[in-house]
Coordinates of all heavy atoms in Angstrom, one line a residue:
H128 N -92.8 201.2 58.3 CA -91.5 201.8 58.7 C -90.3 200.9 58.4 O -89.2 201.3 58.5 CB -91.5 202.1 60.2 CG -92.4 203.2 60.6 ND1 -92.2 204.5 60.5 CD2 -93.7 203.1 61.2 CE1 -93.2 205.2 60.9 NE2 -94.1 204.4 61.4
G129 N -90.6 199.7 57.9 CA -89.5 198.8 57.6 C -88.9 198.1 58.9 O -89.3 198.4 60.0
D130 N -88.0 197.2 58.6 CA -87.4 196.4 59.7 C -86.5 197.2 60.6 O -86.3 196.9 61.8 CB -86.6 195.2 59.2 CG -87.5 194.2 58.5 OD1 -88.7 194.0 58.9 OD2 -87.1 193.6 57.5
A131 N -85.9 198.3 60.1 CA -84.9 199.0 60.8 C -85.4 199.6 62.1 O -84.6 199.6 63.1 CB -84.3 200.1 59.9
D132 N -86.6 200.0 62.2 CA -87.1 200.7 63.4 C -87.9 199.8 64.3 O -88.4 200.2 65.3 CB -88.0 201.9 63.0 CG -87.3 203.0 62.3 OD1 -86.2 203.3 62.8 OD2 -87.8 203.5 61.2
L133 N -88.1 198.5 63.9 CA -89.0 197.6 64.6 C -88.4 197.3 66.0 O -89.1 197.4 67.0 CB -89.2 196.3 63.8 CG -90.0 195.2 64.5 CD1 -91.4 195.8 64.8 CD2 -90.1 194.0 63.6
D134 N -87.2 196.9 66.1 CA -86.6 196.4 67.4 C -86.7 197.6 68.4 O -87.0 197.3 69.5 CB -85.2 196.0 67.2 CG -85.1 194.6 66.5 OD1 -86.1 193.9 66.4 OD2 -84.0 194.3 66.0
E135 N -86.3 198.8 67.9 CA -86.3 199.9 68.9 C -87.8 200.2 69.3 O -88.0 200.5 70.5 CB -85.7 201.1 68.2 CG -85.7 202.4 69.1 CD -85.0 203.6 68.4 OE1 -84.5 203.4 67.3 OE2 -85.2 204.7 68.9
A136 N -88.7 200.1 68.4 CA -90.1 200.4 68.8 C -90.6 199.3 69.8 O -91.3 199.7 70.8 CB -91.0 200.3 67.5
E137 N -90.3 198.1 69.6 CA -90.7 197.0 70.6 C -90.0 197.2 71.9 O -90.6 197.0 73.0 CB -90.4 195.7 70.0 CG -91.0 194.5 70.8 CD -91.0 193.2 70.1 OE1 -90.5 193.1 69.0 OE2 -91.6 192.3 70.6
Q138 N -88.7 197.6 71.9 CA -88.0 197.8 73.1 C -88.5 198.9 73.9 O -88.7 198.8 75.1 CB -86.5 198.0 72.8 CG -85.6 198.2 74.0 CD -84.2 198.5 73.7 OE1 -83.8 198.5 72.5 NE2 -83.3 198.8 74.7
R139 N -88.9 200.0 73.2 CA -89.5 201.1 73.9 C -90.8 200.8 74.5 O -91.1 201.2 75.7 CB -89.7 202.3 72.9 CG -90.2 203.6 73.6 CD -90.5 204.6 72.5 NE -91.1 205.8 73.1 CZ -90.5 206.9 73.4 NH1 -89.2 207.0 73.2 NH2 -91.1 207.9 74.0
Y140 N -91.6 200.0 73.8 CA -92.9 199.5 74.4 C -92.6 198.7 75.6 O -93.3 198.9 76.7 CB -93.6 198.7 73.4 CG -94.9 198.1 73.9 CD1 -96.1 198.8 74.1 CD2 -94.9 196.7 74.4 CE1 -97.2 198.2 74.7 CE2 -96.0 196.2 75.0 CZ -97.1 196.9 75.1 OH -98.3 196.4 75.7
D141 N -91.7 197.8 75.6 CA -91.4 197.0 76.8 C -90.9 197.8 78.0 O -91.3 197.5 79.1 CB -90.4 195.9 76.4 CG -90.9 194.8 75.5 OD1 -92.2 194.7 75.5 OD2 -90.1 194.2 74.8
E142 N -90.1 198.8 77.7 CA -89.6 199.7 78.8 C -90.7 200.4 79.5 O -90.8 200.4 80.7 CB -88.6 200.7 78.2 CG -87.3 200.1 77.8 CD -86.4 201.2 77.2 OE1 -86.9 202.3 77.0 OE2 -85.2 200.9 76.8
V143 N -91.6 201.0 78.7 CA -92.7 201.7 79.3 C -93.7 200.8 80.0 O -94.2 201.1 81.0 CB -93.5 202.5 78.2 CG1 -94.7 203.2 78.7 CG2 -92.5 203.6 77.6
A144 N -93.9 199.6 79.4 CA -94.9 198.6 80.0 C -94.4 198.2 81.4 O -95.2 197.8 82.2 CB -95.0 197.4 79.1
K145 N -93.1 198.2 81.6 CA -92.5 197.8 82.8 C -92.4 198.9 83.8 O -91.8 198.8 84.9 CB -91.1 197.1 82.6 CG -91.2 195.8 81.9 CD -89.8 195.3 81.6 CE -89.9 194.0 80.8 NZ -88.5 193.5 80.4
G146 N -92.9 200.1 83.4 CA -92.8 201.3 84.3 C -91.5 202.1 84.1 O -91.3 203.0 84.9
G147 N -90.7 201.8 83.1 CA -89.5 202.5 82.9 C -89.7 203.7 82.1 O -90.8 204.0 81.5
I148 N -88.6 204.5 81.9 CA -88.7 205.8 81.1 C -87.7 205.6 80.0 O -86.5 205.3 80.2 CB -88.3 207.0 82.0 CG1 -89.2 207.2 83.2 CG2 -88.2 208.2 81.1 CD1 -88.8 208.3 84.1
P149 N -88.2 205.7 78.8 CA -87.3 205.5 77.6 C -86.1 206.5 77.7 O -86.2 207.6 78.2 CB -88.2 205.8 76.4 CG -89.6 205.7 76.9 CD -89.5 206.1 78.4
D150 N -85.0 206.1 77.0 CA -83.8 207.0 77.0 C -83.9 208.2 76.1 O -83.3 209.2 76.3 CB -82.6 206.2 76.6 CG -82.2 205.1 77.6 OD1 -82.5 205.3 78.8 OD2 -81.7 204.0 77.2
D151 N -84.7 208.1 75.0 CA -84.8 209.1 74.0 C -86.0 210.0 74.1 O -86.6 210.3 73.0 CB -84.7 208.4 72.6 CG -85.9 207.5 72.4 OD1 -86.5 207.1 73.4 OD2 -86.2 207.1 71.2

C-alpha cells in the first residue's frame, strides 16, 4: 500500500487494541 496509508493503519490498530472505536 505504500507509506501513505501506513500511519493511519497503525493508528487504527492501536485504537481498536485499546478498546476504542475508529472514527472512519
Side-chain angles (χ1 to χ4, degrees):
H128 295 282
D130 294 326
D132 295 313
L133 177 59
D134 289 344
E135 182 179 347
E137 188 167 8
Q138 181 180 357
R139 182 184 176 101
Y140 173 80
D141 289 338
E142 288 176 355
V143 174
K145 295 175 182 176
I148 299 174
D150 294 330
D151 60 342

